[in-house]
Amino acid sequence: IGLKGVRLDGTFVLQRSRLIDPFTGVARQWSGFNNRQANLNLRHDIPASQWAWGKGANHNHVLPRYRSNQTDRSWEGPWFVSAFIEHKDVLGMTVRARVGNILGARQYRERIVYSGLRGESPVDFAELRNRRIGPIFTLTVRGNF
């Protein structure tokens, strides 16, 4: 990105699928299809030092899975963000401290079960889930002892 020792990597995916649902006759995307993804990573190796730091963020959008008598969508997010600091020479090894899920991404589930065939039967029950994931701390040591 034009700054010494700085690297920015990114991947963005937008994709679409289409089929006619055999139970409802309505057009929809593939079952469990990941139609949107974003990955961004920034790393800064500080010039004339053994230190580096960085940040990362990723997002995935997953569509529901379809069965004859239910729809089920499980996902996490909306965004996972992490940061790290690294020293590249601690007794000849690289030591990195990382904290993940800085923004508090959550785990979700939306499941709808029908009393018979989906599209022809009433809803039997719905399962809605919203769970806290919490921060994730990691210490990594790489190299030869």
Side-chain angles (χ1 to χ4, degrees), residues 5-69:
V6 177
R7 179 178 175 161
L8 177 64
D9 292 312
T11 304
F12 300 94
V13 177
L14 293 172
Q15 52 190 0
R16 189 168 168 81
S17 63
R18 187 173 190 277
L19 60 84
I20 301 299
D21 189 299
F23 295 100
T24 64
V26 176
R28 65 168 172 82
Q29 294 198 54
W30 295 340
S31 181
F33 190 61
N34 190 342
N35 67 340
R36 188 172 63 229
Q37 299 175 43
N39 248 330
L40 286 169
N41 290 295
L42 173 77
R43 179 184 174 95
H44 182 204
D45 288 283
I46 300 169
S49 80
Q50 295 295 320
W51 289 95
W53 65 272
K55 297 178 181 182
N58 69 61
H59 166 78
N60 290 297
H61 184 261
V62 180
L63 296 171
R65 295 190 179 280
Y66 297 91
R67 298 293 179 256
S68 63
N69 70 334

Side-chain angles (χ1 to χ4, degrees), residues 120-135:
E120 295 179 3
S121 306
V123 172
D124 192 20
F125 67 90
E127 177 183 357
L128 305 174
R129 189 181 305 161
N130 179 342
R131 293 181 178 166
R132 180 178 182 270
I133 296 173

Side-chain angles (χ1 to χ4, degrees), residues 94-112:
T94 301
V95 177
R96 175 186 284 192
R98 179 182 177 274
V99 61
N101 196 22
I102 293 171
L103 297 181
R106 301 179 69 85
Q107 191 276 332
Y108 302 95
R109 183 174 188 189
E110 292 176 355
R111 179 177 174 224
I112 299 172

Side-chain angles (χ1 to χ4, degrees), residues 58-91:
N58 69 61
H59 166 78
N60 290 297
H61 184 261
V62 180
L63 296 171
R65 295 190 179 280
Y66 297 91
R67 298 293 179 256
S68 63
N69 70 334
Q70 66 180 282
T71 61
D72 189 1
R73 180 172 177 241
S74 295
W75 75 99
E76 293 180 344
W79 284 88
F80 274 93
V81 176
S82 63
F84 74 88
I85 187 164
E86 176 179 284
H87 194 283
K88 295 177 268 185
D89 188 12
V90 177
L91 302 172

